[in-house]
Amino acid sequence: MLHMTRTRPAHRKLFRFATAFSAGLSLVLTSGCKLAEVFSLSGPQSTMVTAGPVAKAQWDLFMVTVYVTTFIFVVVGAVLAYTQIKFRARSEAAEKSEPPPQGHGNPLIEIGLIAASVALLVIIAIPTVRDIWYTHDVPEAEKGNALDVTATGYQWWFRFEYPTELVKLPTGGEAPLVTGNELVVPAGRPVRVHLRTIDVIHSFWIPKLAGKVDMMPNRDNFLWFKADRPGYFYGQCAEYCGESHAIMRFRVIALEPADYDKWLANQKQPARSVTAKSLAVAAATPRVQFASLQLDDGRALASSPDFDANPLAAWKKMQEVEKDEDPALVATGRKLFSEKTCVSCHTVRGHEGIGITGPDLTRVGARSTIAAGVLENTKERVSQWLHDPVHFKPGNKMYFGGYMVAEGAGDDVKWKQNFTLNDPEINALVSYLHSLK
Ligand code: CUA
């Protein structure tokens, strides 16, 4: 009877586990994850499918630890199992009898076990120390060829600056090239990333290339990486930094050296200007109506199948000027960009925008994502973002500080509408932003 009552909850537990497991599995299978990706652990943010020497070194070191600990587990487990079986009590009397004399003070066993533990730790320590040096800075032989980049974390996006690539400012003088959320680098060349933050601690992580290293206030941290070949890599902030931490993402786009040079030459030009004979009538019905303004339920942030199939090709396509560009609409958007005070937070080099609170938008139309890697940079997504930024990125400063302004402070703070955007205005702004290639 006793056994019966004990087994029932165990069955129930098993049933509950099976239910939870199958629910979890069906969630994985229906959430857009590809089955092969799940089992090969090769998703876009996999640390196991590496694409550069730093990530490879980190992965290899991890595997050394796995091999050593697996070896210890098997040996200790085997000894334990052997003694459990060999010395088990075989009768009622044996169970109740005094245990046999216990051994201790065997120098051979004790020194042997200490030596074995030390040896195993040394096996882990040697590659660990070697990789600490290796990942710390670009190897001496490649130093001359390294590209320096400064990455700065903001709540919640990344600013990238190329200190050695100077651009002429419209106001005269020169300044380093600045971009946001998409770091473009040449493949096959080491990149040394100086890590800074403007506010709280963030952490810089490109799982397939390198990481993660914290971006600390008042401290210059850095890491380096190299992409073995051209590719499109997913990056992620890896240190909790507030409401939108989990969606503080970025991309690294590694290009063939010639493509990179072409990209760089274009980046150094002032923002692209579109000439228009007249403005679009602001109140006119948008030429393209987006179903978009009804937001997805929840935060289904799926990107298009084309993008998923080949993100690097999708990124390259973004570099081209759109065929259906409407100059009047672009010009209207540019005017609205000033009128709605976007200019006070965003730079569009050569145009009116001079702000530095938000990402540099000089070439935002050529990026594959917006909102720090959360949304694919389609017209529909940009209009959704402008319509309700706080829906996609809770707590973001474009909404709290741009669309809304604070009155009072602390617990008494009240948010008041600063400006609104109607559908035709959003439509014009989207055209302007997408013209910035
Ligand atoms: Cu930035 Cu988490």
Side-chain angles (χ1 to χ4, degrees):
M1 269 315 282
L2 192 65
H3 278 256
M4 292 277 289
T5 51
R6 262 188 201 158
T7 49
R8 248 185 247 146
H11 274 131
R12 233 175 272 155
K13 253 186 218 162
L14 190 69
F15 176 71
R16 246 184 255 148
F17 173 77
T19 317
F21 182 78
S22 50
L25 192 67
S26 56
L27 193 71
V28 166
L29 296 181
T30 54
S31 68
C33 292
K34 287 175 213 104
L35 199 60
E37 247 173 38
V38 173
F39 288 105
S40 63
L41 303 171
S42 65
Q45 302 210 124
S46 172
T47 50
M48 302 177 180
V49 180
T50 60
V54 175
K56 177 80 167 54
Q58 289 168 334
W59 169 248
D60 289 346
L61 177 60
F62 170 73
M63 286 316 290
V64 169
T65 316
V66 168
Y67 294 140
V68 170
T69 48
T70 305
F71 172 75
I72 295 172
F73 174 77
V74 170
V75 170
V76 173
V79 172
L80 189 66
Y82 173 77
T83 52
Q84 289 289 303
I85 293 161
K86 181 160 171 67
F87 300 109
R88 73 186 190 281
R90 288 188 169 74
S91 65
E92 194 83 357
E95 190 144 16
K96 284 186 181 137
S97 67
E98 284 290 308
Q102 303 294 297
H104 63 88
N106 183 327
L108 194 67
I109 291 177
E110 285 179 8
I111 293 170
L113 285 178
I114 290 168
S117 309
V118 170
L120 291 173
L121 285 176
V122 168
I123 290 175
I124 295 177
I126 289 172
T128 303
V129 173
R130 185 197 62 203
D131 285 353
I132 287 173
W133 286 109
Y134 181 69
T135 57
H136 177 72
D137 202 357
V138 182
E140 210 55 52
E142 290 187 87
K143 256 196 183 132
N145 192 28
L147 172 72
D148 277 275
V149 175
T150 304
T152 308
Y154 286 65
Q155 283 170 316
W156 291 275
W157 59 280
F158 291 89
R159 174 183 187 270
F160 297 115
E161 186 180 293
Y162 297 71
T164 52
E165 302 298 345
L166 300 178
V167 294
K168 289 208 166 53
L169 294 178
T171 48
E174 288 184 321
L177 172 65
V178 171
T179 174
N181 297 318
E182 293 196 351
L183 174 61
V184 179
V185 299
R189 210 175 132 189
V191 182
R192 188 193 291 107
V193 190
H194 298 257
L195 302 166
R196 309 283 176 84
T197 171
I198 202 86
D199 37 50
V200 299
I201 301 176
H202 303 274
S203 184
F204 190 81
W205 189 31
I206 321 149
K208 289 190 176 180
L209 294 175
K212 43 186 101 155
V213 175
D214 280 2
M215 304 170 123
M216 310 278 287
N218 302 318
R219 184 171 159 168
D220 185 12
N221 261 355
F222 50 98
L223 61 71
W224 76 279
F225 69 85
K226 182 164 82 177
D228 288 334
R229 55 195 168 277
Y232 185 96
F233 303 100
Y234 289 70
Q236 167 77 47
C237 175
E239 177 77 37
Y240 180 70
C241 56
E243 279 163 292
S244 283
H245 152 71
I247 43 174
M248 180 174 171
R249 299 177 191 164
F250 64 101
R251 301 288 191 273
V252 173
I253 292 107
L255 299 177
E256 296 283 8
D259 288 346
Y260 173 75
D261 291 343
K262 212 171 105 194
W263 174 86
L264 196 60
N266 187 45
Q267 289 289 315
K268 287 184 174 180
Q269 301 299 316
R272 178 173 168 262
S273 282
V274 174
T275 46
K277 289 197 193 83
S278 60
L279 296 183
V281 183
T285 312
R287 226 162 55 108
V288 188
Q289 272 285 11
F290 298 112
S292 66
L293 295 184
Q294 297 132 28
L295 298 164
D296 301 315
D297 69 299
R299 293 200 179 81
L301 303 177
S303 36
S304 60
D306 276 359
F307 182 91
D308 286 337
N310 190 342
L312 184 60
W315 180 87
K316 284 186 175 164
K317 197 147 178 282
M318 292 303 291
Q319 311 306 304
E320 298 159 15
V321 173
E322 281 157 16
K323 289 192 189 76
D324 61 350
E325 191 174 73
D326 176 346
L329 208 53
V330 172
T332 308
R334 180 168 172 177
K335 189 160 156 277
L336 285 165
F337 195 75
S338 289
E339 285 174 8
K340 300 288 179 179
T341 68
C342 314
V343 287
S344 56
C345 288
H346 295 285
T347 294
V348 181
R349 191 164 24 90
H351 289 190
E352 296 75 18
I354 49 162
I356 53 166
T357 311
D360 184 298
L361 300 180
T362 306
R363 293 216 152 46
V364 69
R367 292 178 198 154
S368 54
T369 58
I370 55 159
V374 167
L375 299 172
E376 189 183 346
N377 189 9
T378 60
K379 285 193 166 162
E380 190 171 17
R381 285 303 197 189
V382 181
S383 55
Q384 287 176 340
W385 167 248
L386 293 176
H387 179 69
D388 191 4
V390 82
H391 172 86
F392 295 102
K393 192 149 276 197
N396 83 78
K397 293 198 175 86
M398 182 158 99
Y399 188 77
F400 293 106
Y403 286 45
M404 309 292 281
V405 283
E407 277 184 351
D411 291 342
D412 300 327
V413 72
K414 297 245 172 359
W415 291 95
K416 206 186 89 197
Q417 194 86 41
N418 186 30
F419 65 80
T420 54
L421 295 172
N422 61 32
D423 289 4
E425 286 168 342
I426 288 179
N427 198 46
L429 281 165
V430 171
S431 288
Y432 172 57
L433 294 170
H434 263 217
S435 77
L436 298 172
K437 298 277 187 183

